[in-house]
Amino acid sequence: MTDLFLKAAIEEAKKGLAEGGIPIGSVLVYKNEIIGRGHNRRVQNGSVIRHGEMDALENAGRLPASVYRECSMYTTLSPCSMCSGAIVLYEIPKVVIGENKTFLGEEGWLRSRGVKLEVLNNLECIQLMTEFIKVNPNLWHEDIGV
C-alpha cells in the first residue's frame, strides 16, 4: 500500500508530466497535514531551480523556522544537491524518498547532516522516471546537470 503522502507526491509528479515537464513531485507535511505541494516546473516555468522539493517549499509559503523543524518532506525521487541544501538549510528532519534507483541524490550528505531518510523504492515512482528518462534523455540530463 502506498503511503497517503507519497501518493500525493506521485499525483504532483503526474501533474508535472501532463504539463510537459519532468515527473518529480513532492509534498511538505507538518503535523500530519500537507502544507506545501509541488512538482518539477523547470520546463513549464523556464526555471533553473523549480525542482519538486523547491516548488513544494515555495508553495508552502514563508514559514517560521520552528515549523520546518517539525516537517517531513515526501518526494518521488532522491533529492539532488540543490534540494538537499534547502532541506538542510531549513532543518527539515525527515525525508521520505519514493525511489533512488533512477537517480541517487545527496542521501549520504543528508544523513551526515542528521536528516532521517526513508527510501521506499516505490514501483510507480520507478516506472514514472524510467519511462520518462527513456523517452526524454536530453531533458533529463539537463535537469540533473549532465
Side-chain angles (χ1 to χ4, degrees), residues 77-140:
L77 187 64
S78 185
C80 73
S81 51
M82 175 179 63
C83 297
S84 294
I87 289 162
V88 168
L89 175 68
Y90 292 108
E91 299 181 30
I92 296 169
K94 181 180 177 185
V95 179
V96 179
I97 299 167
E99 68 104 346
N100 65 3
K101 299 292 185 195
T102 61
F103 177 76
L104 180 60
E106 298 296 329
E107 293 179 22
W109 183 74
L110 284 166
R111 282 188 184 99
S112 78
R113 299 299 300 252
V115 179
K116 180 182 177 205
L117 302 182
E118 186 178 339
V119 181
L120 303 178
N121 281 318
N122 174 278
L123 186 57
E124 189 172 9
C125 292
I126 295 168
Q127 289 172 335
L128 264 172
M129 285 309 300
T130 300
E131 182 61 26
F132 179 81
I133 292 167
K134 186 171 86 177
V135 174
N136 302 283
N138 292 337
L139 184 55
W140 172 240

Side-chain angles (χ1 to χ4, degrees), residues 24-28 36-42 47-61 73-75 79-87 89-90 92:
I24 303 168
S26 189
V27 296
L28 185 64
R37 294 174 173 266
H39 52 273
N40 187 304
R41 294 178 196 256
R42 288 189 68 250
S47 171
V48 298
I49 62 166
R50 223 50 192 266
H51 281 190
E53 298 91 338
M54 302 298 276
D55 195 44
L57 285 166
E58 182 69 16
N59 291 332
M73 177 74 75
Y74 286 72
T75 184
C80 73
S81 51
M82 175 179 63
C83 297
S84 294
I87 289 162
L89 175 68
Y90 292 108
I92 296 169

